[in-house]
Amino acid sequence: MSSPGSTGPGATPPGRRQRLLGELRLWRPLDLAGVAAAWLVGLLLVVVAATLLLYMGYQGLQYVNLDLLVSRPQPGADQSQTGGILDPIVGTLLIILIATAIALPLAVGAALWIVEYGRPRWLARVVESGIEVIAGAPSIAIAIFGLAIFQLPLFGWASFAADGGGVFGRSFIAAGSVMSLIALPSIFATTREALQSVPRHVREASYGLGKTRWATIRRVLLPTVRPDIATGTALGMGRIAGDTAIIVLLLGATLQLQAGSDIPGVGTLQGTGSTLTSYVYNNSPTGEGNAPEKAYAAAFVLMLLIIGLNLLVAFIGRRRAGNDLPR
Amino acid sequence: MAEFPPPVRRIGADGAPNVVDPASREAIPEPIARALAPSYGPERLRIDGVSIHYAGAAKPAVNQVTLPVRQGEVLALIGPSGCGKTTLLRSLNRLVELTPGATRDGRILLDGEDVDHLEITRLRRRVSMIFQQPNPFPMSIFDNVAYAIREQAMRRPGKGVLAPRVESALRRAGLWDEVADDLDRPALRLSGGQQQRLCIARALAVEPHVLLMDEPCSALDPISTGVVEELIHELRETLAIVIVTHNLAQARRVGDHVAFMYLGDLVEYAPTEELFTNPRADRTRDYVQGAFG
Ligand SMILES: Nc1ncnc2c1ncn2[C@@H]1O[C@H](COP(=O)(O)OP(=O)(O)O)[C@@H](O)[C@H]1O
Ligand SMILES: [Mg+2]
């Protein structure tokens, strides 16, 4: 490894750097400029990301404390009276739970159907394009469409209906259902790609043992692609946690969880609330709440949550690379 | 799913009923018939005028092939790559139906029964297959074999019921001693040769009558290849085996009969030594002498 000029252990081996410089000298000026620009852009992005993280960390750690995390938010003119962010945390987790519970089976089912059956072919194409459209649609457009749906009398049970028959249309059920569309494309895409990359002979090994398509899916294909489904799900959860538009329009963005009926549990699902995103939105200096310290704290918690989900994705990926396959 | 039309043509006695008499030579055309040696067991599988056509292909991938597969013998299919060996093999357990647009003519009889009339899951348990790439499932060693044993309608039988059958399959595949101490290990952690023997154990666990092997050693090192070939020797006592190989030395080592295919046609079928030492067709001679392929 060490070149003749190196002075001993611990010294930077100059060989590699010299080789690199020597290589660069052979390059044409335009290439050099291109490489330099790429380096610059890369560094700039790193600086932006680091600044963001440091700033959020600095602001967040300043205001985050245990008390804040476990006490409920209160309306108040003064920041010291606005309480904690318990409800938005619970709201965020609840929305992630509802939306994932809906999106996961739909996305995996759609991917299985398209890859393993794919018939009729035109319908498979239509479904695929439909999911692509959803993936590309701005969430505010999805949100306003969702609101129109959940205000239909048909969905009166999902939120609460006024005596006159008007349906409020905003609830955990409504927001969670619509939010599932945000997570669905990434779960669908990772599952579909994983299924497509399962070699033909693995399926045929199962069919060759006299197994039905369904047994093959359940016992061979799903276990094979489980890490990819997990990756897509974690990515989708990150997108859910980060979305604001659907929450503002469909969850009501009320400071506290407000039950929509007296039925225990179900009432909460029929009721309104907020998530960390809508909490930040409402309490940032532009919002009506004007409690920027709380907004920073909530944004910091949200970032931690999303970084956590991303670490989970990386972890799953590494486990897979290590061939530590599910049993 | 591919449509399989009724058989259009049969080679041999025209108009004769489609009953397979193991001793009958009529159904096999000259010059192939000379190969029928009386010393083998009953015919398990009869490939009768089988042609297979892929959608969009100008000529059939397999063209009018007639071959017997008997108990107690290994039939080796050889020929240059692309000549239809895999396609023919995959038609024997109707795996070829999984390819959209593939159609088959002719008949395949398993113990006298037309495979098109057999329920497909039953057929595939009687005609089991080993693939070129070792392809264990992402489960434990035990579960790989247990998965094969469980029949469709069976509620999950307990380990107590499965364990002896798993053990016996692993023993037959010559893998038991290497894995017995940790059957819960993921199968994908095994070496390539062990994985292929696990696949053989899996294929044996369904207690097949016929074992199809598509270049089972091409992904294996020489030592594993030797182990698998040894295994083939032992298994042929109880099974009819069809093995595809493009390794002529292997065909010579393991085959009792050899069938040489070229561009979808069956060119020659003969007892192994005869085909290698005294081939009738020029194409066969060129091939076994390494002139092409
Ligand atoms: N799924 C398929 N679709 C279309 N053509 C195929 C397919 N599989 C094989 N073929 C064609 O059929 C012929 C025989 O292929 P194959 O049976 O795989 O040959 P071998 O196993 O002898 O190498 C080749 O010309 C090949 O290109
Ligand atoms: Mg082949």
Side-chain angles (χ1 to χ4, degrees):
Chain A
M1 273 303 278
S2 68
S3 68
S6 75
T7 46
T12 0
R16 231 169 89 193
R17 192 180 305 154
Q18 270 166 13
R19 242 194 338 271
L20 186 68
L21 286 176
E23 250 170 54
L24 281 179
R25 232 170 273 134
L26 297 174
W27 289 17
R28 288 190 294 164
L30 202 63
D31 292 344
L32 271 178
V35 169
W39 267 89
L40 262 169
V41 172
L43 282 178
L44 194 71
L45 287 176
V46 170
V47 168
V48 170
T51 314
L52 176 69
L53 271 178
L54 285 175
Y55 182 71
M56 292 307 300
Y58 170 74
Q59 293 284 12
L61 287 173
Q62 210 174 335
Y63 304 118
V64 169
N65 54 54
L66 191 65
D67 198 36
L68 187 82
L69 297 181
V70 297
S71 52
R72 308 193 61 178
Q74 304 294 340
D78 183 65
Q79 285 199 65
S80 61
Q81 290 158 13
T82 50
I85 56 170
L86 177 65
D87 290 41
I89 291 176
V90 172
T92 303
L93 297 179
L94 205 53
I95 285 290
I96 290 179
L97 197 73
I98 299 169
T100 308
I102 298 171
L104 189 61
L106 281 180
V108 172
L112 278 172
W113 171 61
I114 281 176
V115 179
E116 298 306 312
Y117 299 88
R119 261 143 226 255
R121 198 163 287 179
W122 64 267
L123 190 60
R125 290 267 159 75
V126 169
V127 169
E128 270 186 313
S129 322
I131 293 174
E132 262 159 44
V133 168
I134 293 171
S139 75
I140 189 76
I142 296 178
I144 201 161
F145 172 71
L147 188 61
I149 298 284
F150 277 95
Q151 283 182 332
L152 294 174
L154 181 65
F155 287 104
W157 55 269
S159 55
F160 71 79
D163 288 339
V167 174
F168 188 49
R170 298 171 182 86
S171 70
F172 273 98
I173 297 175
S177 311
V178 174
M179 198 65 102
S180 70
L181 295 178
I182 297 294
L184 193 140
S186 65
I187 307 177
F188 172 79
T190 50
T191 310
R192 183 188 56 182
E193 251 107 81
L195 284 172
Q196 281 167 343
S197 68
V198 175
R200 196 181 70 171
H201 60 81
V202 172
R203 285 183 184 76
E204 293 189 343
S206 180
Y207 295 135
L209 292 167
K211 297 296 173 174
T212 58
R213 205 169 276 242
W214 177 238
T216 304
I217 287 174
R218 215 169 57 90
R219 298 272 289 137
V220 176
L221 294 176
L222 281 180
T224 306
V225 302
R226 192 153 47 204
D228 302 272
I229 297 176
T231 302
T233 306
L235 286 171
M237 285 175 165
R239 294 196 59 196
I240 294 170
D243 194 87
T244 320
I246 291 172
I247 299 303
V248 171
L249 262 66
L250 277 147
L251 193 58
T254 52
L255 206 49
Q256 295 194 349
L257 301 178
Q258 280 170 8
S261 74
D262 297 334
I263 315 166
V266 179
T268 307
L269 298 181
Q270 291 171 315
T272 60
S274 56
T275 64
L276 289 166
T277 56
S278 71
Y279 183 88
V280 172
Y281 172 72
N282 283 330
N283 290 288
S284 67
T286 52
E288 63 233 49
N290 199 10
E293 293 175 5
K294 300 288 167 66
Y296 277 122
F300 179 68
V301 172
L302 178 61
M303 278 205 14
L304 287 187
L305 180 71
I306 291 180
I307 289 173
L309 285 170
N310 280 311
L311 288 178
L312 186 67
V313 171
F315 174 72
I316 299 165
R318 224 189 356 262
R319 252 180 53 132
R320 158 137 261 192
N323 209 5
D324 196 355
L325 283 143
R327 299 260 300 276
Chain B
M1 194 93 323
E3 287 281 342
F4 280 78
V8 291
R9 185 165 20 189
R10 217 156 18 84
I11 297 181
D14 28 2
N18 290 328
V19 178
V20 176
D21 172 4
S24 147
R25 308 175 113 239
E26 293 157 7
I28 301 173
E30 290 289 332
I32 290 167
R34 70 180 174 131
L36 268 186
S39 59
Y40 295 102
E43 191 173 87
R44 300 276 23 187
L45 205 57
R46 144 84 26 151
I47 304 163
D48 190 2
V50 163
S51 300
I52 296 150
H53 204 282
Y54 287 112
K59 64 185 293 288
V62 171
N63 189 25
Q64 293 284 334
V65 170
T66 295
L67 279 171
V69 182
R70 269 155 304 168
Q71 173 89 40
E73 77 161 356
V74 176
L75 169 64
L77 287 178
I78 61 169
S81 119
C83 71
K85 307 181 294 293
T86 297
T87 303
L88 178 62
L89 201 68
R90 282 161 48 84
S91 72
L92 302 183
N93 61 354
R94 288 170 60 192
L95 264 190
V96 84
E97 288 177 22
L98 295 175
T99 307
T103 53
R104 196 200 79 214
D105 284 345
R107 295 195 323 163
I108 296 164
L109 300 175
L110 174 65
D111 296 323
E113 276 185 279
D114 192 325
V115 296
D116 292 344
H117 301 156
L118 282 171
E119 209 250 312
I120 196 139
T121 58
R122 261 188 68 217
L123 165 67
R124 289 180 182 160
R125 296 174 80 82
R126 282 164 68 184
V127 182
S128 202
M129 184 153 180
I130 310 292
F131 298 78
Q132 192 167 352
Q133 285 297 322
N135 49 7
F137 303 124
M139 322 166 175
S140 68
I141 296 168
F142 183 92
D143 285 343
N144 260 276
V145 184
Y147 174 70
I149 293 171
R150 269 179 209 130
E151 281 182 53
Q152 238 32 263
M154 271 163 101
R155 290 290 300 156
R156 293 193 169 205
K159 269 210 168 181
V161 180
L162 288 171
R165 295 181 63 186
V166 170
E167 176 177 342
S168 108
L170 286 169
R171 279 192 191 281
R172 284 180 81 191
L175 190 61
W176 176 253
D177 292 339
E178 290 159 61
V179 298
D181 53 339
D182 192 5
L183 293 173
D184 290 333
R185 206 170 357 148
L188 294 165
R189 294 256 181 87
L190 296 172
S191 75
Q194 289 174 324
Q195 288 191 11
Q196 193 64 307
R197 275 180 288 145
L198 178 62
C199 293
I200 294 174
R202 205 171 59 184
L204 293 176
V206 298
E207 280 153 27
H209 299 177
V210 181
L211 190 61
L212 310 175
M213 308 180 102
D214 190 359
E215 303 193 22
C217 300
S218 66
L220 305 186
D221 60 86
I223 292 177
S224 305
T225 299
V227 173
V228 170
E229 285 181 8
E230 196 59 44
L231 198 56
I232 293 171
H233 265 299
E234 288 164 22
L235 290 174
R236 84 178 160 174
E237 303 297 326
T238 47
L239 289 166
I241 296 178
V242 187
I243 180 172
V244 165
T245 176
H246 59 213
N247 179 340
L248 294 180
Q250 182 174 59
R252 206 163 175 172
R253 283 193 300 267
V254 303
D256 296 300
H257 275 80
V258 176
F260 169 63
M261 289 179 69
Y262 184 74
L263 293 179
D265 293 319
L266 176 63
V267 176
E268 189 159 351
Y269 168 75
T272 303
E273 274 318 297
E274 203 175 319
L275 188 127
F276 280 102
T277 55
N278 184 24
R280 288 218 179 160
D282 294 346
R283 277 239 159 74
T284 315
R285 186 177 323 111
D286 290 349
Y287 185 71
V288 300
Q289 289 172 0
F292 69 93

